[in-house]
Amino acid sequence: MTNEVVPWVDDMVAVRDARDEAAFIRVFGHFGPRVKAFLMRTGMDAALAEECAQEVLVTVWNKAHLYDATRASPSTWIFTIARNKKIDVLRKQRRPEPEDLPWGPEAEPDQAEVIGLQQESEQLGRALRDLPEKQRELIEKAYFGELSHSEIADQTGLPLGTIKSRIRLALERLRHSMK
């Protein structure tokens, strides 16, 4: 791979191999605003996106030794880190802090709501069982096993593109089954 074909490879390799601060400053200057914009486009407010973008670039510095130019371009690698950081932030926001937990008896859920959720769960279970086995296994690993596409590829030995295609097809089938 040359720098003309995939920009930023030389700088990422310099950061990875020599902890080159000047190269990292260039990477940070280029990708910092782009990561922040990406996070804001996904619904994050500006202040949180700025903080998260900085954490992403700190992760890039700290984990530069893991960068492999043969597996991903610098932008793909960095935006994957950003996507994972965004998921971490969303998960953290959804977990209530102990002082936010309600005390005392909880209100009983509406019976119609409970029945509706049970029916949807049963419908989803049938739809999952009806998927081709190869697609169902990947959906289970991704959503129930909470594995990333890359982790699934490492675990199964399948190419990342195959994993993504099968999951995309499976989700489309599930969407149609749930209508």
Side-chain angles (χ1 to χ4, degrees):
M1 265 187 234
T2 66
N3 203 17
E4 286 93 52
V5 177
V6 181
W8 303 103
V9 170
D10 294 341
D11 283 332
M12 276 306 307
V13 169
V15 172
R16 179 191 69 197
D17 295 346
R19 303 296 281 169
D20 185 324
E21 291 180 16
F24 180 70
I25 289 169
R26 288 189 297 273
V27 168
F28 191 101
H30 178 78
F31 286 101
R34 287 163 177 79
V35 169
K36 179 182 175 185
F38 162 75
L39 295 169
M40 289 175 63
R41 279 193 308 273
T42 65
M44 209 178 263
D45 70 66
L48 185 56
E50 174 75 28
E51 180 180 328
C52 195
Q54 289 181 11
E55 288 178 25
V56 167
L57 273 297
V58 167
T59 301
V60 167
W61 174 259
N62 290 332
K63 297 200 175 194
H65 65 281
L66 298 174
Y67 175 69
D68 182 353
T70 63
R71 295 189 72 195
S73 69
S75 61
T76 299
W77 189 67
I78 291 169
F79 280 97
T80 300
I81 293 170
R83 177 189 152 272
N84 293 340
K85 183 64 73 177
K86 180 187 84 147
I87 291 168
D88 291 346
V89 167
L90 290 175
R91 283 183 181 153
K92 188 176 178 183
Q93 286 176 339
R94 289 187 186 137
R95 286 190 202 127
E97 293 296 322
E99 62 270 8
D100 295 337
L101 293 172
W103 294 99
E106 291 186 26
E108 288 292 319
D110 179 33
Q111 197 62 25
E113 188 178 325
V114 170
I115 291 171
L117 287 172
Q118 286 174 337
Q119 289 172 342
E120 283 182 14
S121 294
E122 290 169 6
Q123 184 181 6
L124 179 59
R126 284 190 301 272
L128 280 168
R129 282 191 299 275
D130 291 343
L131 285 175
E133 183 179 351
K134 291 178 179 180
Q135 291 177 4
R136 184 180 65 251
E137 288 174 358
L138 295 179
I139 289 291
E140 289 172 351
K141 289 178 185 298
Y143 292 95
F144 301 122
E146 295 186 7
L147 297 175
S148 71
H149 292 169
S150 297
E151 291 169 329
I152 295 170
D154 290 342
Q155 194 178 82
T156 63
L158 292 170
L160 188 57
T162 301
I163 304 263
K164 290 179 179 185
S165 295
R166 286 184 185 168
I167 289 175
R168 190 172 26 256
L169 287 170
L171 290 174
E172 190 62 34
R173 285 181 184 214
L174 290 174
R175 215 174 329 229
H176 287 297
S177 296
M178 297 299 290
K179 288 184 179 178

